[in-house]
């Protein structure tokens, strides 16, 4: 058995683990990185990257079939489904070198391609190597949750880990789960020429502001996606090409292929956490605000920590633990300033409190300002006028922003900046945005906050009248 000692041991080479490993190594720490599967983790290989690549193919097909409004004759937008998967694979391959073993070894990191498991509070075994580390970072991520639906284990189904390898276009894709992954893949596949039915046990896009979510859901319905809500799957049956989902209320949905997209489960099974004195919760590894586990030498970050499961959160967690591990500085993670985006068309973006959350927390102190895409000149030119922004404001400061519409994921960046820096609406309003841009929507939302104060104020009108009368 080989034994090595290190400053920092990182378990998992996904977004969270790679961020910690590269940052720590470049700042002078001795780092060992363990990965028993693919470098880059879920985001690169099965999640963010391939899904956005497939969405891009779907947008291209849709644009060809809907060009007439720009004065260009509509085309067939014929889809070669296997070729779209070639595009997905090429995008992954283009990005993969950034996450490769060779690149991280170039930083001086000892990369071991084995799964790790704890054998004591400070020791982890990976293959025939035992590593003793001053600090350990668990960044093993999450995997698709497969619910215990009767019959599911006997029926062929896809998850996000297998869908992007599918080469034959599904005739009729059934999707269990109406969350972001389910709705993104539903729209992508209907645009790629499939019939699509989404079966959701509660409300589709139920974690988002319902007013904004309805804009997205109505768009998907208009494009041909069947969305069945309050339809809890009770049984799955059938064979390849002929699959049925029966719900608790007796409805039956038939299709050729099945995608299970009901959520994620954290990857802790291989870790032997009990040997290290590390406790878990129903959602993941138990951590405090500094991302420390119940073993104070061990941190857990990213999806495995059981909180918000986004790649950008994983990177944020990495920064938090690096400050703590390398510089012994107090460092805590928060969630109030973390944005998220659902990459449907139109996009759906959120940061901070929704309108309902802001009202519950701040009561009548909340002001909600709105601005619609239909009043933005660039949106009109691009024929992208569907959507609007809502900003929740308390005493002149934004506490949340909700956006549905074209490039909502880009627009939300400004509000994430405003929340983390406790900026005022006056600072947003004083920004000069180039014309004509979609980004003007943010500035106009701030203007909508000050408009009534300036244009409907009797005091302002009296002051202006006095100045015009008496100042030469």
């Amino acid at each position: 058995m080989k034994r090595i000692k290190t400053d920092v041991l990182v378990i998992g080479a996904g977004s969270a683990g790679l961020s910690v490993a590269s940052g720590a190594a470049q700042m002078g720490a001795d780092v060992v990185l363990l990965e028993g599967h693919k470098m880059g983790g879920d985001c690169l290989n099965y999640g963010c990257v391939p899904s956005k690549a497939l969405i891009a193919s779907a947008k291209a097909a849709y644009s060809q079939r809907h060009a007439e409004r720009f004065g260009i004759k509509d085309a067939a937008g014929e889809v070669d489904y296997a070729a779209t998967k070639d595009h997905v694979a090429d995008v992954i391959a283009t990005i993969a070198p950034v996450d490769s073993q060779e690149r991280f070894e170039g930083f001086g990191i000892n990369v071991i391609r084995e799964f790790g498991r704890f054998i004591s509070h400070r020791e982890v075994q990976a293959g025939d190597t035992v590593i003793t580390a001053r600090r350990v970072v668990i960044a093993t991520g999450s995997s698709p949750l497969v619910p215990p639906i009767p019959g599911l284990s006997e029926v062929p189904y896809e998850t996000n880990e297998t869908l992007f390898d599918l080469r034959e276009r599904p005739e009729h894709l059934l999707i269990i789960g109406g969350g972001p992954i389910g709705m993104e893949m539903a729209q992508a596949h209907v645009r790629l020429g499939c019939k699509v039915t989404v079966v959701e046990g509660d409300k589709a896009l139920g974690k988002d502001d319902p007013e904004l979510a309805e804009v997205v859901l109505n768009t998907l319905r208009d494009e041909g996606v069947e969305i069945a809500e309050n339809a809890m799957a009770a049984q799955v049956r059938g064979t390849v090409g002929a699959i049925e989902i029966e719900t608790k209320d007796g409805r039956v949905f038939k299709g050729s292929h099945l995608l299970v997209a009901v959520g994620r489960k954290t990857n802790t099974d291989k870790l032997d956490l009990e040997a290290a004195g590390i406790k878990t919760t129903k959602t993941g590894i138990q951590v405090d605000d500094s991302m420390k586990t119940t073993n104070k030498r061990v941190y857990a970050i990213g999806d495995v920590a059981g909180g918000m499961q986004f790649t950008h959160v994983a990177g944020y967690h990495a920064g938090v633990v690096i400050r703590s591990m390398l510089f012994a500085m107090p460092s805590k993670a928060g969630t109030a300033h973390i944005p998220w985006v659902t990459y449907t068309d139109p996009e759906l973006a959120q940061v901070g409190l929704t309108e309902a959350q802001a009202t519950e927390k701040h009561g009548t102190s909340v002001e909600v300002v709105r601005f619609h895409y239909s009043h933005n000149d660039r949106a009109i030119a691009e024929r992208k006028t569907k959507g609007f922004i809502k900003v929740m404001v308390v005493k002149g400061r934004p506490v949340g922003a909700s956006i549905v519409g074209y490039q909502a994921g880009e627009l939300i960046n400004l509000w994430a900046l405003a929340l983390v820096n406790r900026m005022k609406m006056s600072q947003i309003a004083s920004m000069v945005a180039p014309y004509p841009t979609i980004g003007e929507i943010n500035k106009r939302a701030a203007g909508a906050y000050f408009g009534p104060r300036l244009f409907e104020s009797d005091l302002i009108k009296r002051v202006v009248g006095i100045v015009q009368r008496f100042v030469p």
Side-chain angles (χ1 to χ4, degrees):
M1 189 70 67
K2 181 181 178 182
R3 291 184 175 273
I4 58 177
K5 292 184 178 181
T6 189
D7 296 325
V8 178
L9 169 62
V10 180
I11 307 175
S15 299
L18 293 178
S19 297
V20 170
S22 61
Q26 291 178 85
M27 291 181 189
D30 184 45
V31 179
V32 173
L33 174 64
L34 305 182
E35 177 51 64
H37 192 34
K38 292 186 177 182
M39 296 290 290
D42 186 82
C43 180
L44 172 64
N45 297 290
Y46 312 117
C48 320
V49 171
S51 64
K52 302 314 166 281
L54 191 68
I55 287 170
S57 291
K59 283 184 177 179
Y62 183 83
S63 295
Q64 288 189 27
R65 296 193 292 265
H66 297 81
E68 191 170 321
R69 55 187 175 166
F70 296 101
I72 300 168
K73 187 176 181 180
D74 287 346
E78 186 174 343
V79 174
D80 182 336
Y81 189 77
T84 68
K85 295 304 180 68
D86 291 338
H87 158 66
V88 170
D90 182 65
V91 170
I92 294 172
T94 301
I95 298 173
V98 178
D99 293 348
S100 67
Q101 179 174 342
E102 293 75 17
R103 178 169 182 261
F104 282 79
E105 288 176 336
F107 294 140
I109 298 168
N110 183 359
V111 181
I112 300 174
R113 300 303 295 274
E114 298 280 358
F115 290 107
R117 65 180 182 87
F118 286 92
I119 58 175
S120 74
H121 277 232
R122 294 189 62 181
E123 295 175 305
V124 172
Q125 183 173 343
D128 61 357
T129 303
V130 173
I131 305 107
T132 302
R134 292 187 67 253
R135 297 289 183 269
V136 179
V137 179
I138 302 172
T140 49
S142 63
S143 301
L145 173 65
V146 179
I149 301 172
L152 183 59
S153 60
E154 284 80 46
V155 173
Y157 65 87
E158 310 292 335
T159 68
N160 71 295
E161 291 187 350
T162 61
L163 178 66
F164 301 107
D165 292 328
L166 188 65
R167 305 286 296 177
E168 180 182 349
R169 180 171 61 189
E171 179 184 343
H172 188 161
L173 180 63
L174 299 171
I175 300 176
I176 299 178
I181 295 174
M183 303 318 296
E184 287 176 3
M185 290 300 96
Q187 187 175 43
H189 279 82
V190 81
R191 288 180 167 190
L192 292 171
C194 309
K195 292 181 180 179
V196 179
T197 299
V198 177
V199 179
E200 165 56 44
D202 193 2
K203 175 69 176 174
L205 297 176
K207 293 184 178 180
D208 288 283
D209 182 309
E211 185 183 10
L212 280 75
E214 196 63 24
V215 175
V216 174
L217 298 177
N218 285 339
T219 299
L220 267 64
R221 291 185 180 104
D222 290 344
E223 291 187 19
V225 178
E226 180 185 8
I227 303 173
E229 297 179 299
N230 298 310
M232 184 65 69
Q235 186 176 19
V236 179
R237 53 183 175 262
T239 58
V240 177
I243 297 174
E244 295 184 355
I245 301 171
E246 183 174 346
T247 62
K248 288 186 176 180
D249 59 6
R251 285 179 282 177
V252 176
F253 301 92
K254 299 180 180 181
S256 61
H257 293 71
L258 174 62
L259 171 64
V260 177
V262 298
R264 312 281 298 173
K265 63 180 179 66
T266 54
N267 295 330
T268 58
D269 293 347
K270 294 182 173 68
L271 292 170
D272 285 347
L273 295 174
E274 288 186 4
I278 297 170
K279 295 181 179 179
T280 60
T281 68
K282 291 181 179 180
T283 58
I285 294 177
Q286 180 179 321
V287 294
D288 61 17
D289 290 344
S290 64
M291 310 308 297
K292 286 184 179 180
T293 69
T294 48
N295 178 337
K296 297 307 178 184
R297 291 184 177 273
V298 181
Y299 299 80
I301 64 174
D303 285 9
V304 78
M308 302 173 79
Q309 295 181 329
F310 303 111
T311 297
H312 50 284
V313 173
Y316 167 61
H317 284 172
V320 170
V321 301
I322 283 176
R323 287 192 294 274
S324 175
M325 289 190 306
L326 302 188
F327 301 103
M329 294 173 57
S331 187
K332 295 183 178 181
T335 58
H337 61 295
I338 302 295
W340 69 86
V341 183
T342 299
Y343 295 93
T344 46
D345 181 11
E347 293 180 350
L348 180 58
Q350 176 69 42
V351 67
L353 303 177
T354 64
E355 180 178 4
Q357 291 167 342
T359 301
E360 181 179 355
K361 183 174 181 179
H362 297 285
T364 57
S365 299
V366 178
E367 293 182 65
V368 180
V369 294
R370 298 168 175 257
F371 187 79
H372 287 260
Y373 275 68
S374 59
H375 301 305
N376 175 269
D377 292 354
R378 182 61 181 272
I380 293 171
E382 298 277 352
R383 302 295 189 189
K384 298 289 188 180
T385 56
K386 181 184 294 183
F388 60 95
I389 179 174
K390 291 200 298 189
V391 183
M392 282 52 72
V393 186
V394 177
K395 297 179 180 179
R397 296 184 191 274
V399 297
S402 309
I403 312 174
V404 60
Y406 181 55
Q407 294 186 0
E410 309 300 328
L411 293 175
I412 205 69
N413 285 305
L414 179 64
W415 299 104
L417 175 70
L419 263 63
V420 76
N421 289 289
R422 290 184 50 78
M423 294 172 66
K424 297 179 180 179
M425 292 295 282
S426 58
Q427 293 170 288
I428 308 297
S430 64
M431 173 188 69
V432 178
Y435 173 88
T437 59
I438 299 297
E440 284 183 288
I441 289 172
N442 285 332
K443 179 177 173 63
R444 293 292 296 275
Y449 174 73
F450 289 105
R453 290 165 169 78
L454 293 174
F455 306 135
E456 299 175 14
S457 169
D458 292 336
L459 176 60
I460 292 292
K461 291 177 180 179
R462 286 198 298 271
V463 170
V464 170
I466 291 171
V467 170
Q468 299 309 307
R469 189 177 307 167
F470 296 108
V471 177

